[in-house]
Amino acid sequence: MTLQQLKYMIEVVNCGSINEAAKRLYITQPSLSSAVKELEAEIGVELFIRTSKGITLSVDGAEFLGYARQVVEQAGLLEQRYLNKKPSRQLCSISTQHYAFAVNAFVNLIKNSGADEYEFTLRETRTHEIIEDVKNLRSEIGILYRNSFNRKVLDKLLRENRLDFHPLFTAQPHIFISTQNPLAGRKAVTLADLEDYPCLSFEQGEFNSFYYSEEILSTVFHKKSIHVSDRATLFNLLIGLNGYTISTGIVSADLNGDNITAVPLQVDESIQVGWIANHQIRLSNQASAYLQELRSVLEEYGLQLQE
């Protein structure tokens, strides 16, 4: 087993493809495939499951990856200390539902990394894809919510994929609306108040189950519904159509401007936001640093964090 083989394996996981990893490593695809197979043969473990749809980590591969990343990180520190090599290129991938605070923390992570070279990835994406990203270690951390409606289904899915949910905070539901919306001055609103306004939500593609919805109360009927795929479009429609969406109530003026406001929604429900990770994997230094930045951002909003 060589350090180079471990680096090869990590790159395949990061890319999710042997072909793409070979391009990044500047070696041929057959050479990379051979190196991975030699590593598997040496340790007697099938690290990857190969199908016609591509390559994914096996259960044993996920466990091995955690050790491999630690070894590569420690080797890099030794090289910096004793061989005067420059720090290795920093890597970090995060998948998240559409939360401005997750982006704020990502910005702070990059600003405070001090790295000369880095390759950080932030995926604002669908709920199912967040789980798949973390399951296959395409991302180290996923950020999503659960509540009384989706908790059983979500927890079962996470358990089946060997993922753990770590609560960050619990929020009371709010609506996001334009500051020009007639409801903007209210101390609180009800579902009845919202009946004539367009309800905006993030579409979930082929996994369009109520349990995967990014917004609570997904089973409630709306006379006017609009589904979008990105946060910028959603906020533009909130302003242009006097629509609303349901979320945590945390609005970032830095990212969303001053023309969006949050108003409490009077419903007997709460939103618990947390992060998920593979319970077999030790987080990288960059992923741990991201969680610290995330907690700092949330504390700035005055939230009571959960351990």
Side-chain angles (χ1 to χ4, degrees):
M1 186 190 308
T2 67
L3 190 62
Q4 190 66 63
Q5 286 175 314
L6 300 184
K7 290 179 179 179
Y8 282 174
M9 186 231 180
I10 292 170
E11 192 62 35
V12 171
V13 173
N14 289 338
C15 295
S17 159
I18 286 185
N19 286 334
E20 185 60 33
K23 291 177 185 177
R24 293 196 184 189
L25 293 166
Y26 301 103
I27 61 175
T28 65
Q29 185 270 334
S31 296
L32 180 55
S33 293
S34 177
V36 172
K37 288 179 180 178
E38 287 174 3
L39 176 60
E40 289 178 317
E42 181 180 353
I43 63 176
V45 170
E46 184 182 43
L47 299 174
F48 294 99
I49 299 172
R50 299 160 177 85
T51 68
S52 58
K53 294 183 179 180
I55 187 170
T56 58
L57 271 175
S58 67
V59 174
D60 289 333
E63 182 179 11
F64 184 87
L65 177 65
Y67 290 107
R69 280 179 168 160
Q70 292 180 55
V71 170
V72 171
E73 281 186 356
Q74 292 302 314
L77 292 174
L78 285 171
E79 290 174 345
Q80 292 171 44
R81 176 67 177 83
Y82 295 104
L83 300 180
N84 294 318
K85 285 192 175 183
K86 68 177 183 179
S88 59
R89 186 180 182 87
Q90 291 194 17
L91 303 172
C92 185
S93 293
I94 308 294
S95 292
T96 178
Q97 291 178 331
H98 298 77
Y99 296 127
F101 56 79
V103 180
N104 288 142
F106 194 77
V107 170
N108 293 345
L109 172 70
I110 295 175
K111 285 182 177 179
N112 297 328
S113 69
D116 293 327
E117 297 183 15
Y118 56 76
E119 183 177 341
F120 293 156
T121 303
L122 180 66
R123 302 183 183 93
E124 280 194 329
T125 189
R126 299 162 177 167
T127 303
H128 180 267
E129 290 169 3
I130 293 170
I131 295 171
E132 285 294 301
D133 283 348
V134 180
K135 167 191 170 184
N136 295 318
L137 296 174
R138 187 164 177 251
S139 291
E140 286 190 73
I141 292 171
I143 300 171
L144 43 71
Y145 89 93
R146 65 184 183 183
N147 69 340
S148 60
F149 176 73
N150 71 3
R151 180 186 295 267
K152 287 185 178 179
V153 171
L154 193 62
D155 286 353
K156 181 176 182 293
L157 186 61
L158 296 178
R159 192 164 54 249
E160 290 173 348
N161 289 293
R162 296 177 173 82
L163 304 178
D164 294 327
F165 182 92
H166 305 269
L168 283 167
F169 66 92
T170 299
Q172 296 307 305
H174 285 65
I175 60 166
F176 288 167
I177 53 176
S178 163
T179 53
Q180 302 304 311
N181 189 296
L183 300 175
R186 299 277 195 93
K187 292 184 178 180
V189 295
T190 65
L191 290 175
D193 295 327
L194 300 171
E195 189 172 334
D196 293 325
Y197 294 91
C199 177
L200 284 87
S201 60
F202 291 105
E203 59 93 17
Q204 297 295 323
E206 62 180 300
F207 294 93
N208 195 29
S209 162
F210 291 131
Y211 297 107
Y212 285 110
S213 175
E214 191 166 329
E215 301 80 22
I216 66 167
L217 307 176
S218 56
T219 59
V220 173
F221 172 76
H222 302 283
K223 291 194 299 185
K224 304 172 183 178
S225 294
I226 302 173
H227 304 285
V228 300
S229 59
D230 68 272
R231 190 155 45 89
T233 299
L234 183 139
F235 281 116
N236 285 336
L237 293 176
L238 290 185
I239 296 169
L241 297 175
N242 262 346
Y244 73 93
T245 191
I246 302 175
S247 191
T248 60
I250 304 174
V251 179
S252 171
D254 292 338
L255 295 178
N256 304 322
D258 296 322
N259 46 12
I260 298 293
T261 188
V263 179
L265 176 61
Q266 291 182 335
V267 289
D268 186 19
E269 189 53 87
S270 61
I271 302 170
Q272 184 181 56
V273 176
W275 59 277
I276 62 172
N278 191 305
H279 70 232
Q280 294 177 290
I281 301 301
R282 173 182 175 268
L283 294 179
S284 68
N285 292 335
Q286 289 74 36
S288 296
Y290 175 76
L291 289 177
Q292 286 296 110
E293 297 292 353
L294 185 60
R295 288 181 172 276
S296 295
V297 167
L298 294 172
E299 285 175 348
E300 289 175 6
Y301 285 106
L303 293 169
Q304 183 67 43
L305 299 186
Q306 298 172 250
E307 295 300 330

